[in-house]
Amino acid sequence: MQLLLRDPSLEASFSSPKVLQPKMERRVSPMPTLLFIAALMAASYFIISEAADSKGSFQDNFDIMWSQEHFSTSPDGQIWYLSLDKDTGCGFQTKQRYRFGWFSMKLKLVGGDSAGVVTAYYMCTENGAGPTRDELDIEFLGNRTGQPYLIQTNVYKNGTGGREMRHMLWFDPTEDFHSYSVLWNNHQLVFFVDSTPVRVFKNNGEANNFFPNEKPMYMFSSIWNADDWATRGGLEKTDWKKAPFVSSYKDFSVDGCQWEDPYPACVSTTTQNWWDQYSAWHLSDSQKMDYAWVQRNLVIYDYCKDYERYPTLPVECSLSPWD
């Protein structure tokens, strides 16, 4: 196991191109009062990784996937920038693969008119869209100035996805850095925004075709043009006069089982780590409060409630996130 960055506060908290059909897109209006209340609520609970310092340079952890000329750093090397113009975007991936753990990065998204632009932050078993890949997606869907950013998550197993959820955020993600994290063990996947769980995806403890738990994954991030679907189902196109579009990154953090072929020693000992102990198999009481608030107020699409798309709901939709 390789420990690049660890945050003890997290342990304490537990122990105490993806195409959507236009019909899935809903226009939402800014909700100042709602977002203000949400910010207060989120701030009142535990804070994840705010006090930690990043370790290692970009070169220590990542490789550029394409368009090196669209990648840059701050003078001290601690902030990384990916840019998109009409010619191309840019992306990077971790040098290592992992199976289970805690994975986190701070991002500041493209400001202003970002319609059609997608900033993707995800885990995948391969560099590509192979037919048998496993993948955990976090995608930030740009919008016209004044409209809220949407965050879309998705889960693939053996090349099959179609498990999208979309949320509004309770803050402007272009004004400052915020943490976006994934907790992954054999019992659940939890997607976090700062300290708040926004999505819980459960395993049923049996062999199945929905929960990715067998293959190690790299972590990736990229910025790319998706104006055929990303904003209002493709109705809003990228305004290239606003290019280049720049997303910013810092404080990569991973505490997980680093893969070594054919099997790393940590595969059989993951329960010795906080992220795979009993308290990390479920949400804590305070996390459940945050999660319930998110479900009531910020979810704008859930595939498990789309009976037109799935007249018979996928089997994982019957699993309770509260267990």
Side-chain angles (χ1 to χ4, degrees), residues 6-25:
R6 185 167 188 144
D7 181 10
S9 68
L10 245 177
E11 301 181 44
S13 72
F14 277 97
S15 63
S16 70
K18 294 77 179 172
V19 179
L20 296 181
Q21 299 302 318
K23 69 181 181 61
M24 294 173 58
E25 180 73 35

Side-chain angles (χ1 to χ4, degrees), residues 58 70-74 79-85 89-92 105-111 114 117-121 140 149 173-174 176-177 180 221-224 244-250:
F58 181 90
H70 284 65
F71 171 80
S72 61
T73 71
S74 60
I79 301 176
W80 319 316
Y81 306 102
L82 299 185
S83 66
L84 167 70
D85 58 27
C90 187
F92 59 79
M105 185 96 77
K106 290 182 180 178
L107 280 71
K108 183 164 69 172
L109 302 181
V110 176
S114 59
V117 177
V118 170
T119 300
Y121 169 57
F140 304 93
Y149 252 91
T174 72
D176 203 352
F177 285 91
Y180 303 92
S221 193
S222 60
I223 186 170
W224 46 290
F245 303 99
V246 179
S247 55
S248 308
Y249 307 78
K250 68 177 183 178

Side-chain angles (χ1 to χ4, degrees), residues 20 22 32 69 79 86 94 105 141 150 162 179 194 204 213 237 241 248 285 317 320-321:
L20 296 181
E69 66 276 11
I79 301 176
K86 198 168 186 177
T94 55
M105 185 96 77
L141 311 183
L150 302 183
S179 296
D194 291 329
N204 63 1
N213 60 351
K237 300 301 183 182
K241 297 190 298 294
S248 308
D285 288 344
C317 293
S320 172

